[in-house]
Structures are given as C-alpha cells and as structure tokens.
Amino acid sequence: MIRLVCAGIASVLVIGACSPAPVEDRSAGSGLPRDLSQEAAQGKVTHKRAPRKEPARAGSGGGITQEPAGYETIGALEDPTDASPPYADVTSVSLQSDGSSLKVILGMAGAVPDHAPGDSEVVGIAVDLATDKGKYQLFASGENDGWFGYFDTPKGMKRFPGTFEIAGNQIAFTVPWSAFDGPRRGKFSVYSEWSSAEGYSEDPAPNDLSKVPFG
C-alpha cells in the first residue's frame, strides 16, 4: 500500500449537478506514490508515474452534490485546519454508497486550483481503506500539469476505474464497488502532504492516526 506523506487527506462534500467533461487517460510507467517521507524531509517530493486519470472539473458555480440521489453516508470524519496551504488542508471526508459505487468526497480548507501553483510544488492526498479483502488506496496528486487520480489495491496499482472530480474546495473519487470485489465494510483514514522549495507540511486525519469505521 502506498503511504504518501501529503497534506491533509480527507474531506468530502458533494455538490450538485456536476457534469464531468471527457477525461483523458494518461498512463505511463509503473509504481506510484512511494513513501515520500524521506524525500519530503529534504524538500524534494517526487514520485514515479502510474496508471492515472485526469479529473473532470465542474462548471463555474457547480460542485459535487452531497449525498446525491440513491447514495447514503457510510463513513465520515472532520479534521481541524493546519498550517498547510488551504488547497492542501483536508478538513472533512465523507464516504457514500449507492450499493454499486463508492463515492469519497474530500473537503479542503480552500478552493482547489487546476494545478499545483508553484514550479516545484507537489500536493498528495491519500485515502486509505482497510477491508476484509485487504488494503486499498485512492490517491490524488496535484502536479504542475494538473491533478491526477490513482488506485492502489492488494494486487498492486490498477488503472483508475472510476471518476475523479474537482469542484470548488472539494475533491471527489467515485469508484465501482466491483473494484473492491463488492461492497465492503472496514476502516479508513486520510493522509496529505504538501511540499515546495519554500517548505513542507503533512497532515494525518484523524490526527491521532486512528482509523474510522465505514460500511
């Protein structure tokens, strides 16, 4: 399981009527966010490419609907703000299910830009899901050329199987339960990291490193 030291991982809000634009599949290389703690400590957070998918961005004024029709919340957490840039600071996370898909909505402390603003800037947010089938991870990487979604499984990195959206201060993953071998119960946590030439920050959620039940 990829452990990413990234700034504030999880807050999910759903905002209505998001009509995703076509998503370009940009796969290259293998491997993905490794443990970045050592690189981050040196102010050099980098990662290898893995199968990834660009996010669809909601239109102006749009957002990610909280509990869209047919979905119910199956897990949630709140996290206090920290010293990270607002777009890298997870303040809430919501896991929702409609029986066939899992939607994870991360609420950030501020609006999420189209890409990491600084030339040397990297933002990483990981949602770790521990189930009876093993450990999975949904990972959002903010890079100079945009945001990309990754999916790690007990069998290794897989091509991202669902949709990855950004709207306002929210980041949302929607993945079919079939990617987890069916609906699951378990525990989750979030971890985020921000790094640039000017500094570095990281934020686990919950702050005590505990796991939050879902399902």
Side-chain angles (χ1 to χ4, degrees):
M1 189 51 45
I2 299 163
R3 167 55 59 189
L4 184 45
V5 185
C6 298
I9 262 178
S11 169
V12 178
L13 297 170
V14 181
I15 296 180
C18 224
S19 46
V23 174
E24 177 188 356
D25 197 349
R26 300 176 60 181
S27 301
S30 61
L32 164 64
R34 320 174 320 273
D35 183 344
L36 302 184
S37 55
Q38 292 186 351
E39 290 96 328
Q42 301 170 12
K44 299 184 297 183
V45 179
T46 59
H47 64 263
K48 296 180 180 179
R49 298 298 188 191
R52 66 183 187 175
K53 177 172 281 190
E54 285 192 73
R57 193 166 185 86
S60 60
I64 300 164
T65 303
Q66 184 68 42
E67 282 201 14
Y71 279 82
E72 63 176 346
T73 299
I74 59 172
L77 67 78
E78 302 287 330
D79 190 59
T81 58
D82 60 21
S84 302
Y87 52 84
D89 184 3
V90 177
T91 59
S92 65
V93 181
S94 174
L95 274 63
Q96 301 169 14
S97 174
D98 67 351
S100 62
S101 294
L102 170 68
K103 180 181 285 288
V104 178
I105 304 173
L106 306 178
M108 313 305 290
V112 180
D114 290 323
H115 58 84
D119 291 341
S120 61
E121 193 168 342
V122 177
V123 180
I125 302 173
V127 180
D128 290 324
L129 302 159
T131 76
D132 60 341
K133 288 289 186 178
K135 296 180 179 180
Y136 297 81
Q137 186 183 82
L138 297 169
F139 184 81
S141 176
E143 307 169 24
N144 294 143
D145 55 344
W147 283 82
F148 302 91
Y150 299 84
F151 184 57
D152 194 16
T153 78
K155 297 179 180 179
M157 296 300 304
K158 302 294 183 182
R159 188 177 301 279
F160 196 84
T163 60
F164 176 39
E165 302 167 80
I166 292 176
N169 71 326
Q170 299 171 314
I171 297 173
F173 302 92
T174 303
V175 178
W177 278 117
S178 58
F180 302 90
D181 292 328
R184 298 282 151 215
R185 294 178 181 271
K187 295 184 177 182
F188 77 97
S189 62
V190 177
Y191 201 89
S192 70
E193 172 187 79
W194 169 84
S195 179
S196 76
E198 287 71 43
Y200 165 78
S201 65
E202 60 182 43
D203 180 34
N207 285 334
D208 62 1
L209 302 178
S210 63
K211 302 287 186 178
V212 178
F214 72 86

